[in-house]
Amino acid sequence: MELRCGGVGSQAGGRRMDGDSRDGGGGGCKDAGSEDYENLPTSVSLSIHMTAGAMAGILEHSVMYPVDSVKTRMQSLNPDPKAHYTSVYGALKKIIRTEGFWRPLRGLNVMMMGAGPAHALYFACYENMKRTLNAVFHHQGNSHLANGIAGSMATLLHDAVMNPAEVVKQRLQMYDSPHRSALSCIRTVWGTEGLGAFYRSYTTQLTMNVPFQSIHFITYELLQEQINPYRGYNPQSHIISGGLAGALAAAATTPLDVCKTLLNTQENVALHLANVSGRLSGMANAFRTVYQLNGLPGYFKGVQARVIYQMPSTAISWSVYEFFKYFLTKHKLENRTPY
């Protein structure tokens, strides 16, 4: 690949597509692709953020869905004896052998329908809030506080769209689920538990995802500063930063994910053993029930599956998002009619 070194005619300070400026340093060398990425407009259109975000969300959840199914099973507080699993690979192998090849993919359709619009809003909100808050908190460069707040605000929109899809998806994923399709699950839940059932875990979801996304975005941006200081289009750096950020955030918020799964699935056996009559609601009640049934280890059920799921998920999400942001912006510029 052709290298372009600093000198006459080269920019000392590259401009990022999200609007932040970086001092590239006087004598450094950068490859052509990175420089092209930096020389794209500092303001990317909302439609490009949303399109790139939607593609990232759909691909991320599609590729990792079988592992997500295993994670849901492993977080079950009182699983059926036939659904005891010791490892992610072993669980996936057992599910396919005993329940059919396509069983780990049940619910994928509803997840894709939710992931597209949810991630479109998520990335568009994050990019715009990050740019605005960085201008307020840190006039030059990057503010980790701004990144954390922007990620938290984006989560509010993301979870509002994703929460109903999560409820349906997790009920379809559970062992011996009575639901055979997403549509039948929606009809049954709506008819027996009401519309509120689709948002029963929303506050728990936010309580989990706000710290998750704050840790995720701050760690991602921090790692990008270290391994991709010019902020060029560098797939390897996006994959590494995204994967490590997702793994750290996933491990730290596993207890909240266990409680969210309990609220979403309303496991009958678990609720009966905990002497819970009716439906379990509220994160405080979920925390109490988990501790009552499994003690402190119960809060970390499925942590291995969660980390194994989130690490490649966030790596895929960031690499796909950055690729489409770069590709769509460059394509738009190339097709623009010159004045």
Side-chain angles (χ1 to χ4, degrees):
M1 181 177 289
E2 175 192 359
L3 292 178
R4 300 179 183 177
C5 301
V8 178
S10 68
Q11 291 182 314
R15 294 288 292 177
R16 294 175 61 200
M17 284 169 54
D18 61 10
D20 291 344
S21 60
R22 288 283 186 273
D23 182 6
C29 296
K30 293 178 283 184
D31 62 71
S34 295
E35 189 164 294
D36 287 344
Y37 189 69
E38 289 177 348
N39 289 334
L40 291 175
T42 59
S43 179
V44 179
S45 70
L46 181 66
S47 63
I48 288 179
H49 284 313
M50 295 187 76
T51 303
M55 294 301 297
I58 290 171
L59 284 172
E60 169 198 345
H61 286 284
S62 299
V63 171
M64 297 306 300
Y65 194 81
V67 181
D68 184 52
S69 294
V70 171
K71 176 179 73 71
T72 298
R73 295 278 187 97
M74 293 182 79
Q75 287 180 336
S76 175
L77 295 179
N78 281 277
D80 187 282
K82 297 178 182 177
H84 276 289
Y85 312 111
T86 57
S87 68
V88 175
Y89 175 74
L92 193 57
K93 186 177 178 180
K94 185 176 181 179
I95 291 170
I96 292 173
R97 187 179 69 250
T98 60
E99 301 175 54
F101 180 80
W102 299 107
R103 184 62 181 88
L105 296 178
R106 184 182 293 177
L108 175 60
N109 55 346
V110 72
M111 179 52 60
M112 291 177 64
M113 290 174 64
H119 279 69
L121 294 172
Y122 171 71
F123 277 107
C125 178
Y126 173 69
E127 293 279 16
N128 284 278
M129 288 292 296
K130 181 179 72 170
R131 184 168 58 248
T132 301
L133 293 173
N134 267 304
V136 174
F137 294 144
H138 206 98
H139 294 290
Q140 303 224 345
N142 196 29
S143 166
H144 298 306
L145 176 61
N147 296 335
I149 294 174
S152 299
M153 295 299 294
T155 301
L156 296 176
L157 293 176
H158 173 274
D159 287 3
V161 176
M162 280 296 287
N163 209 86
E166 281 279 344
V167 171
V168 175
K169 180 254 309 183
Q170 289 195 310
R171 296 199 182 204
L172 288 168
Q173 288 174 332
M174 294 299 287
Y175 176 77
D176 201 25
S177 171
H179 311 292
R180 291 293 172 262
S181 69
L183 186 59
S184 69
C185 181
I186 293 170
R187 286 173 175 168
T188 301
V189 173
W190 191 315
T192 59
E193 301 176 46
L195 182 62
F198 295 105
Y199 284 95
R200 185 180 288 122
S201 64
Y202 183 57
T203 54
T204 302
Q205 185 98 335
L206 288 178
T207 307
M208 176 186 73
N209 281 345
V210 166
F212 175 93
Q213 297 299 353
S214 296
I215 295 170
H216 169 210
F217 281 115
I218 290 172
T219 305
Y220 177 82
E221 297 286 354
L222 184 63
L223 289 170
Q224 281 289 288
E225 287 181 355
Q226 302 303 314
I227 63 178
N228 186 21
Y230 292 115
R231 293 304 182 98
Y233 174 59
N234 184 337
Q236 185 178 11
S237 78
H238 301 315
I239 291 170
I240 294 171
S241 299
L244 291 176
L248 178 62
T253 56
T254 295
L256 294 164
D257 193 40
V258 172
C259 293
K260 181 209 74 173
T261 298
L262 178 61
L263 288 171
N264 276 345
T265 58
Q266 297 289 314
E267 290 181 69
N268 292 326
V269 176
L271 298 185
H272 176 73
L273 290 175
N275 295 319
V276 175
S277 58
R279 300 292 172 182
L280 184 68
S281 62
M283 187 174 64
N285 290 329
F287 260 96
R288 192 178 304 115
T289 303
V290 172
Y291 184 77
Q292 181 181 344
L293 292 173
N294 293 99
L296 288 176
Y299 294 118
F300 290 92
K301 289 178 75 70
V303 64
Q304 178 193 31
R306 179 164 164 77
V307 171
I308 290 174
Y309 170 75
Q310 287 292 350
M311 193 170 185
S313 287
T314 47
I316 292 168
S317 182
W318 276 111
S319 59
V320 172
Y321 173 70
E322 294 288 358
F323 166 76
F324 275 101
K325 187 170 74 170
Y326 166 68
F327 174 78
L328 292 172
T329 304
K330 191 173 182 180
H331 181 73
K332 183 177 180 180
L333 285 177
E334 289 173 348
N335 289 308
R336 183 177 292 171
T337 304
Y339 290 101

PDB file of all heavy atoms in Angstrom, residues 171-187:
ATOM      1  N   ARG A 171     -37.981 -15.746  25.645  1.00  0.00           N
ATOM      2  CA  ARG A 171     -39.003 -16.763  25.894  1.00  0.00           C
ATOM      3  C   ARG A 171     -38.946 -17.879  24.845  1.00  0.00           C
ATOM      4  O   ARG A 171     -39.235 -19.036  25.145  1.00  0.00           O
ATOM      5  CB  ARG A 171     -40.385 -16.120  25.931  1.00  0.00           C
ATOM      6  CG  ARG A 171     -40.526 -15.150  27.092  1.00  0.00           C
ATOM      7  CD  ARG A 171     -41.952 -14.851  27.438  1.00  0.00           C
ATOM      8  NE  ARG A 171     -42.033 -13.882  28.527  1.00  0.00           N
ATOM      9  CZ  ARG A 171     -43.070 -13.750  29.345  1.00  0.00           C
ATOM     10  NH1 ARG A 171     -44.126 -14.541  29.184  1.00  0.00           N
ATOM     11  NH2 ARG A 171     -43.068 -12.853  30.297  1.00  0.00           N
ATOM     12  N   LEU A 172     -38.579 -17.526  23.630  1.00  0.00           N
ATOM     13  CA  LEU A 172     -38.422 -18.529  22.588  1.00  0.00           C
ATOM     14  C   LEU A 172     -37.156 -19.356  22.800  1.00  0.00           C
ATOM     15  O   LEU A 172     -37.099 -20.522  22.406  1.00  0.00           O
ATOM     16  CB  LEU A 172     -38.369 -17.847  21.215  1.00  0.00           C
ATOM     17  CG  LEU A 172     -39.689 -17.260  20.697  1.00  0.00           C
ATOM     18  CD1 LEU A 172     -39.433 -16.379  19.488  1.00  0.00           C
ATOM     19  CD2 LEU A 172     -40.679 -18.359  20.336  1.00  0.00           C
ATOM     20  N   GLN A 173     -36.149 -18.770  23.426  1.00  0.00           N
ATOM     21  CA  GLN A 173     -34.869 -19.462  23.625  1.00  0.00           C
ATOM     22  C   GLN A 173     -34.902 -20.469  24.771  1.00  0.00           C
ATOM     23  O   GLN A 173     -34.108 -21.413  24.780  1.00  0.00           O
ATOM     24  CB  GLN A 173     -33.757 -18.437  23.900  1.00  0.00           C
ATOM     25  CG  GLN A 173     -33.347 -17.618  22.688  1.00  0.00           C
ATOM     26  CD  GLN A 173     -32.364 -16.522  23.054  1.00  0.00           C
ATOM     27  OE1 GLN A 173     -32.358 -16.015  24.186  1.00  0.00           O
ATOM     28  NE2 GLN A 173     -31.531 -16.130  22.107  1.00  0.00           N
ATOM     29  N   MET A 174     -35.788 -20.284  25.751  1.00  0.00           N
ATOM     30  CA  MET A 174     -35.799 -21.134  26.932  1.00  0.00           C
ATOM     31  C   MET A 174     -36.088 -22.597  26.574  1.00  0.00           C
ATOM     32  O   MET A 174     -36.786 -22.899  25.607  1.00  0.00           O
ATOM     33  CB  MET A 174     -36.840 -20.647  27.943  1.00  0.00           C
ATOM     34  CG  MET A 174     -36.510 -19.285  28.543  1.00  0.00           C
ATOM     35  SD  MET A 174     -34.959 -19.266  29.457  1.00  0.00           S
ATOM     36  CE  MET A 174     -35.437 -20.178  30.922  1.00  0.00           C
ATOM     37  N   TYR A 175     -35.554 -23.511  27.397  1.00  0.00           N
ATOM     38  CA  TYR A 175     -35.781 -24.936  27.180  1.00  0.00           C
ATOM     39  C   TYR A 175     -37.262 -25.263  27.314  1.00  0.00           C
ATOM     40  O   TYR A 175     -37.955 -24.779  28.213  1.00  0.00           O
ATOM     41  CB  TYR A 175     -34.978 -25.761  28.193  1.00  0.00           C
ATOM     42  CG  TYR A 175     -35.231 -27.243  28.091  1.00  0.00           C
ATOM     43  CD1 TYR A 175     -34.644 -27.988  27.075  1.00  0.00           C
ATOM     44  CD2 TYR A 175     -36.077 -27.889  28.998  1.00  0.00           C
ATOM     45  CE1 TYR A 175     -34.876 -29.346  26.959  1.00  0.00           C
ATOM     46  CE2 TYR A 175     -36.318 -29.254  28.894  1.00  0.00           C
ATOM     47  CZ  TYR A 175     -35.715 -29.975  27.866  1.00  0.00           C
ATOM     48  OH  TYR A 175     -35.958 -31.323  27.756  1.00  0.00           O
ATOM     49  N   ASP A 176     -37.771 -26.087  26.402  1.00  0.00           N
ATOM     50  CA  ASP A 176     -39.161 -26.534  26.401  1.00  0.00           C
ATOM     51  C   ASP A 176     -40.131 -25.355  26.365  1.00  0.00           C
ATOM     52  O   ASP A 176     -41.183 -25.367  27.015  1.00  0.00           O
ATOM     53  CB  ASP A 176     -39.432 -27.409  27.630  1.00  0.00           C
ATOM     54  CG  ASP A 176     -40.661 -28.295  27.428  1.00  0.00           C
ATOM     55  OD1 ASP A 176     -40.989 -28.579  26.265  1.00  0.00           O
ATOM     56  OD2 ASP A 176     -41.292 -28.679  28.439  1.00  0.00           O
ATOM     57  N   SER A 177     -39.762 -24.325  25.613  1.00  0.00           N
ATOM     58  CA  SER A 177     -40.631 -23.153  25.485  1.00  0.00           C
ATOM     59  C   SER A 177     -41.964 -23.553  24.855  1.00  0.00           C
ATOM     60  O   SER A 177     -41.995 -24.297  23.872  1.00  0.00           O
ATOM     61  CB  SER A 177     -39.960 -22.090  24.611  1.00  0.00           C
ATOM     62  OG  SER A 177     -40.858 -21.049  24.302  1.00  0.00           O
ATOM     63  N   PRO A 178     -43.082 -23.055  25.402  1.00  0.00           N
ATOM     64  CA  PRO A 178     -44.385 -23.393  24.819  1.00  0.00           C
ATOM     65  C   PRO A 178     -44.656 -22.645  23.514  1.00  0.00           C
ATOM     66  O   PRO A 178     -45.610 -22.952  22.810  1.00  0.00           O
ATOM     67  CB  PRO A 178     -45.374 -22.964  25.911  1.00  0.00           C
ATOM     68  CG  PRO A 178     -44.671 -21.854  26.625  1.00  0.00           C
ATOM     69  CD  PRO A 178     -43.212 -22.225  26.606  1.00  0.00           C
ATOM     70  N   HIS A 179     -43.829 -21.664  23.208  1.00  0.00           N
ATOM     71  CA  HIS A 179     -44.033 -20.836  22.015  1.00  0.00           C
ATOM     72  C   HIS A 179     -43.258 -21.417  20.840  1.00  0.00           C
ATOM     73  O   HIS A 179     -42.072 -21.704  20.954  1.00  0.00           O
ATOM     74  CB  HIS A 179     -43.584 -19.398  22.283  1.00  0.00           C
ATOM     75  CG  HIS A 179     -44.119 -18.824  23.559  1.00  0.00           C
ATOM     76  ND1 HIS A 179     -45.451 -18.536  23.752  1.00  0.00           N
ATOM     77  CD2 HIS A 179     -43.482 -18.507  24.730  1.00  0.00           C
ATOM     78  CE1 HIS A 179     -45.615 -18.055  24.984  1.00  0.00           C
ATOM     79  NE2 HIS A 179     -44.447 -18.031  25.585  1.00  0.00           N
ATOM     80  N   ARG A 180     -43.928 -21.545  19.710  1.00  0.00           N
ATOM     81  CA  ARG A 180     -43.290 -22.119  18.539  1.00  0.00           C
ATOM     82  C   ARG A 180     -42.918 -21.077  17.482  1.00  0.00           C
ATOM     83  O   ARG A 180     -42.242 -21.387  16.512  1.00  0.00           O
ATOM     84  CB  ARG A 180     -44.215 -23.180  17.916  1.00  0.00           C
ATOM     85  CG  ARG A 180     -44.350 -24.426  18.797  1.00  0.00           C
ATOM     86  CD  ARG A 180     -43.021 -25.177  18.871  1.00  0.00           C
ATOM     87  NE  ARG A 180     -43.038 -26.281  19.847  1.00  0.00           N
ATOM     88  CZ  ARG A 180     -42.573 -26.195  21.072  1.00  0.00           C
ATOM     89  NH1 ARG A 180     -42.037 -25.051  21.503  1.00  0.00           N
ATOM     90  NH2 ARG A 180     -42.618 -27.222  21.903  1.00  0.00           N
ATOM     91  N   SER A 181     -43.381 -19.844  17.668  1.00  0.00           N
ATOM     92  CA  SER A 181     -43.031 -18.767  16.734  1.00  0.00           C
ATOM     93  C   SER A 181     -43.096 -17.435  17.473  1.00  0.00           C
ATOM     94  O   SER A 181     -43.702 -17.326  18.544  1.00  0.00           O
ATOM     95  CB  SER A 181     -43.987 -18.736  15.534  1.00  0.00           C
ATOM     96  OG  SER A 181     -45.284 -18.313  15.938  1.00  0.00           O
ATOM     97  N   ALA A 182     -42.453 -16.442  16.891  1.00  0.00           N
ATOM     98  CA  ALA A 182     -42.449 -15.112  17.510  1.00  0.00           C
ATOM     99  C   ALA A 182     -43.862 -14.541  17.586  1.00  0.00           C
ATOM    100  O   ALA A 182     -44.259 -13.943  18.590  1.00  0.00           O
ATOM    101  CB  ALA A 182     -41.540 -14.183  16.713  1.00  0.00           C
ATOM    102  N   LEU A 183     -44.631 -14.749  16.532  1.00  0.00           N
ATOM    103  CA  LEU A 183     -45.986 -14.202  16.494  1.00  0.00           C
ATOM    104  C   LEU A 183     -46.867 -14.828  17.568  1.00  0.00           C
ATOM    105  O   LEU A 183     -47.618 -14.123  18.259  1.00  0.00           O
ATOM    106  CB  LEU A 183     -46.599 -14.414  15.107  1.00  0.00           C
ATOM    107  CG  LEU A 183     -47.967 -13.760  14.865  1.00  0.00           C
ATOM    108  CD1 LEU A 183     -47.872 -12.248  15.075  1.00  0.00           C
ATOM    109  CD2 LEU A 183     -48.469 -14.081  13.466  1.00  0.00           C
ATOM    110  N   SER A 184     -46.772 -16.142  17.738  1.00  0.00           N
ATOM    111  CA  SER A 184     -47.590 -16.804  18.769  1.00  0.00           C
ATOM    112  C   SER A 184     -47.153 -16.365  20.160  1.00  0.00           C
ATOM    113  O   SER A 184     -47.984 -16.225  21.062  1.00  0.00           O
ATOM    114  CB  SER A 184     -47.472 -18.326  18.629  1.00  0.00           C
ATOM    115  OG  SER A 184     -46.177 -18.772  18.991  1.00  0.00           O
ATOM    116  N   CYS A 185     -45.869 -16.128  20.346  1.00  0.00           N
ATOM    117  CA  CYS A 185     -45.367 -15.654  21.634  1.00  0.00           C
ATOM    118  C   CYS A 185     -45.910 -14.263  21.944  1.00  0.00           C
ATOM    119  O   CYS A 185     -46.362 -13.994  23.059  1.00  0.00           O
ATOM    120  CB  CYS A 185     -43.834 -15.638  21.623  1.00  0.00           C
ATOM    121  SG  CYS A 185     -43.098 -15.100  23.176  1.00  0.00           S
ATOM    122  N   ILE A 186     -45.873 -13.378  20.950  1.00  0.00           N
ATOM    123  CA  ILE A 186     -46.387 -12.017  21.140  1.00  0.00           C
ATOM    124  C   ILE A 186     -47.865 -12.047  21.505  1.00  0.00           C
ATOM    125  O   ILE A 186     -48.317 -11.368  22.441  1.00  0.00           O
ATOM    126  CB  ILE A 186     -46.166 -11.179  19.858  1.00  0.00           C
ATOM    127  CG1 ILE A 186     -44.667 -10.948  19.629  1.00  0.00           C
ATOM    128  CG2 ILE A 186     -46.895  -9.838  19.954  1.00  0.00           C
ATOM    129  CD1 ILE A 186     -44.324 -10.351  18.278  1.00  0.00           C
ATOM    130  N   ARG A 187     -48.634 -12.865  20.787  1.00  0.00           N
ATOM    131  CA  ARG A 187     -50.074 -12.956  21.054  1.00  0.00           C
ATOM    132  C   ARG A 187     -50.343 -13.493  22.463  1.00  0.00           C
ATOM    133  O   ARG A 187     -51.207 -12.974  23.187  1.00  0.00           O
ATOM    134  CB  ARG A 187     -50.734 -13.853  20.021  1.00  0.00           C
ATOM    135  CG  ARG A 187     -50.868 -13.226  18.646  1.00  0.00           C
ATOM    136  CD  ARG A 187     -51.375 -14.254  17.641  1.00  0.00           C
ATOM    137  NE  ARG A 187     -51.637 -13.668  16.336  1.00  0.00           N
ATOM    138  CZ  ARG A 187     -51.866 -14.363  15.230  1.00  0.00           C
ATOM    139  NH1 ARG A 187     -51.861 -15.700  15.293  1.00  0.00           N
ATOM    140  NH2 ARG A 187     -52.086 -13.758  14.088  1.00  0.00           N
TER     141      ARG A 187
END
